[in-house]
Amino acid sequence: MFKKLLLSGAFAVPFFFSAQEATTSESRISVIPSVGYAWRLAKMPEGISKESRDYIKGLKNGVDVSVSAYYHLKSNSAIGLKYSTYLASSDGRITVQDSNGQIVSGFVSTKDNITFVGPAYMFSNFKDDTKHKLFYDIALGVISYTTKTGSITGKGSNLGLEVNFAYQYALTNHIFIGPKLGLTGGTLSKMKYNGTTVDFGDEEREGLSRLSLSAAATFRF
């Protein structure tokens, strides 16, 4: 009788572990924060002074921070939500022409903030048995711009697009780290300055596109 029980147990053990593996839930949620640097791609205005050019250069590069959360489907696809923000500031002297046609100049300090938020789609090899992880994602949403110079605040928003590609190394089954390359696109045809709406011409639109390089971490749950 005892031998029969041992024999039955020997046959049952593999099925027991197999059942455990089948019922163990795989990670379905990925949260991916990142921080890095970004460069705005809009062209510099022509015919401006060196001081004004140096001032604008300070606003064309800044800190890029993002976070996204995804729910993984049965395939290698995932759906979720993405948020990113760009921060830059610059101090300097600018020269402009006032409403009377006179040339005036002065020292100014400006802080810029570009944010993006929207639903996103991701494709990855996170489920593959490899330490080398790859993913790309694409998001379509709202891109918003806030610029503040002294007492003047300008705001505007429009439809925007964000695309990212990343390589990561798996430290554990639940934590990956690595570099991420991103591209955010969007333009504004009008903005509000202290509540007053200003429409831009085709050649004067505010370009919000930027290229970013970041360090990204993935946490899987």
Side-chain angles (χ1 to χ4, degrees):
M1 182 66 178
F2 186 66
K3 289 183 179 180
K4 289 182 179 180
L5 289 174
L6 286 179
L7 186 61
S8 299
F11 278 107
V13 167
F15 290 101
F16 174 76
F17 282 108
S18 177
Q20 275 195 323
E21 291 176 359
T23 57
T24 299
S25 60
E26 64 179 14
S27 299
R28 284 297 183 94
I29 304 296
S30 290
V31 178
I32 309 176
S34 70
V35 60
Y37 213 65
W39 300 264
R40 291 182 63 177
L41 303 178
K43 292 183 178 180
M44 188 82 71
E46 297 181 359
I48 60 176
S49 66
K50 182 182 181 303
E51 290 178 329
S52 296
R53 183 175 292 273
D54 292 341
Y55 160 75
I56 295 175
K57 281 183 177 179
L59 298 173
K60 285 179 67 65
N61 52 80
V63 176
D64 189 272
V65 179
S66 74
V67 63
S68 55
Y70 290 101
Y71 176 79
H72 291 267
L73 307 176
K74 290 184 178 180
S75 62
N76 289 328
S77 301
I79 54 175
L81 188 67
K82 175 176 288 293
Y83 170 84
S84 68
T85 186
Y86 167 86
L87 301 167
S89 63
S90 184
D91 302 319
R93 176 182 288 274
I94 61 172
T95 302
V96 297
Q97 188 176 27
D98 64 16
S99 58
N100 298 321
Q102 295 181 334
I103 303 299
V104 296
S105 65
F107 283 99
V108 295
S109 178
T110 299
K111 293 183 178 180
D112 279 1
N113 180 210
I114 302 173
T115 61
F116 172 88
V117 62
Y121 167 85
M122 180 175 72
F123 187 87
S124 72
N125 70 339
F126 287 177
K127 296 180 181 179
D128 294 352
D129 185 19
T130 175
K131 291 286 188 180
H132 305 283
K133 305 297 184 180
L134 298 171
F135 78 81
Y136 75 82
D137 62 17
I138 182 169
L140 183 66
V142 177
I143 190 168
S144 301
Y145 177 46
T146 301
T147 180
K148 186 173 183 181
T149 303
S151 60
I152 300 175
T153 299
K155 296 182 178 181
S157 61
N158 203 353
L159 190 65
L161 177 72
E162 184 161 309
V163 180
N164 294 277
F165 178 80
Y167 163 81
Q168 295 184 313
Y169 184 79
L171 298 179
T172 71
N173 290 334
H174 301 282
I175 301 176
F176 316 149
I177 60 171
K180 177 176 70 103
L181 184 66
L183 179 64
T184 304
T187 60
L188 297 180
S189 59
K190 61 182 179 180
M191 289 181 63
K192 283 187 177 182
Y193 292 91
N194 287 6
T196 301
T197 300
V198 177
D199 292 313
F200 304 139
D202 291 340
E203 301 297 325
E204 300 174 338
R205 291 187 177 186
E206 183 69 45
L208 304 180
S209 299
R210 69 182 188 271
L211 181 69
S212 62
L213 181 61
S214 308
T218 296
F219 301 93
R220 303 199 67 201
F221 304 94

